[in-house]
Amino acid sequence: LRGDLGRSVQFNRPVVDVFVEYLPWTVVLVGVATVLALLVGVAAGTWAAWHRGRRRDAGAVAAVLVLDSMPGFWIGMILIAVFAVGLGWFPSYGAATIDAEGAVWFAEAVHRMVLPAATLALATFGGFFLLTRAAMVTVLDEPFVRLARAKGVPERRIALHHALRTALLPVWTNLTLVLGTLLSGAVVVETVFAYPG
C-alpha cells in the first residue's frame, strides 16, 4: 500500500528503483513489436482474405499457423542463429554498448533491438493475421460491399476503404489482449537476448 516493494536480492537495491530503470526498455520493445505485428498482420490478413480460396491464401494460412505454434524463445534462437551467428548482421545480446553516447548510442540501441522486436512481432503477428483475414472474409460478403461493387467502385477502394474499416473493429478489440501476452512474452525474449528489460 505504501509502494515499498522491498529490496532486490539480485541487485541489492530497492525493487522500485530497479523497476523504474528497466521498465522503459520493456515498454519500447513491446511498443515496437506491437506496431510491427499489427501492421504486418493486418496487411497480410487483408491480402489473404482478398485471395481467399486460392493456393496462395491456403499457403499463407498454413505458414502463419506453423509460425504461430512456435514459442517466442524458439523464434528468437532461430533469428540469433541466422542473423547474428550466420550472417553477422545483428548482435545477439544486450541493448547498447556502455561507451556509446548521443546519436551513436541511439543507433546502437535501435540496431540491437531489431532481433528482440522481430521475435516478439513474429510470435504475435499470427493472431492479427488470422483475425483480420476472418473479419475481412466475413465483411467482403456483406451487402454493402456487393452494393459498392454494383455501383462500380474499384476493387482496391472496396477492400481498403469499405471492408477493411469494418474488419478492423475486432482487431482493435483484440489488441488489448495481445498487449498482455506481449508483456509476458517479453520476459522470455529479453532473457534469450540478454535484453535489459
Side-chain angles (χ1 to χ4, degrees):
L1 290 176
R2 290 182 287 119
D4 182 9
L5 301 177
R7 294 186 70 81
S8 169
V9 177
Q10 181 179 357
F11 297 100
N12 195 24
R13 292 168 49 199
V15 171
V16 173
D17 293 349
V18 176
F19 188 74
V20 168
E21 180 181 342
Y22 290 110
L23 182 64
W25 291 103
T26 299
V27 169
V28 170
L29 178 64
V30 168
V32 169
T34 302
V35 170
L36 281 173
L38 184 64
L39 292 177
V40 174
V42 167
T46 302
W47 177 85
W50 196 252
H51 297 96
R52 68 189 182 276
R54 298 183 189 156
R55 286 185 181 174
R56 56 182 87 167
D57 171 42
V61 170
V64 167
L65 288 174
V66 168
L67 181 66
D68 206 35
S69 67
M70 293 181 181
F73 71 87
W74 179 250
I75 294 171
M77 289 190 293
I78 291 173
L79 292 180
I80 288 172
V82 173
F83 295 104
V85 176
L87 298 172
W89 292 354
F90 300 101
S92 62
Y93 64 92
T97 53
I98 297 171
D99 56 348
E101 293 180 4
V104 175
W105 179 88
F106 181 76
E108 182 72 19
V110 169
H111 187 240
R112 288 175 176 266
M113 186 187 293
V114 170
L115 289 182
T119 300
L120 276 175
L122 285 171
T124 55
F125 118 96
F128 290 121
F129 171 87
L130 294 170
L131 189 59
T132 303
R133 184 191 173 283
M136 278 291 288
V137 165
T138 302
V139 171
L140 286 172
D141 291 333
E142 291 289 327
F144 74 91
V145 173
R146 289 197 298 270
L147 178 62
R149 282 194 182 112
K151 286 183 173 182
V153 177
E155 291 292 321
R156 186 181 184 121
R157 184 167 177 80
I158 291 172
L160 298 178
H161 294 283
H162 296 290
L164 186 58
R165 281 185 185 176
T166 306
L168 283 179
L169 291 174
V171 175
W172 292 121
T173 305
N174 188 50
L175 181 61
T176 56
L177 300 173
V178 170
L179 283 174
T181 305
L182 271 170
L183 282 172
S184 62
V187 174
V188 176
V189 171
E190 288 169 348
T191 304
V192 169
F193 287 95
Y195 194 82

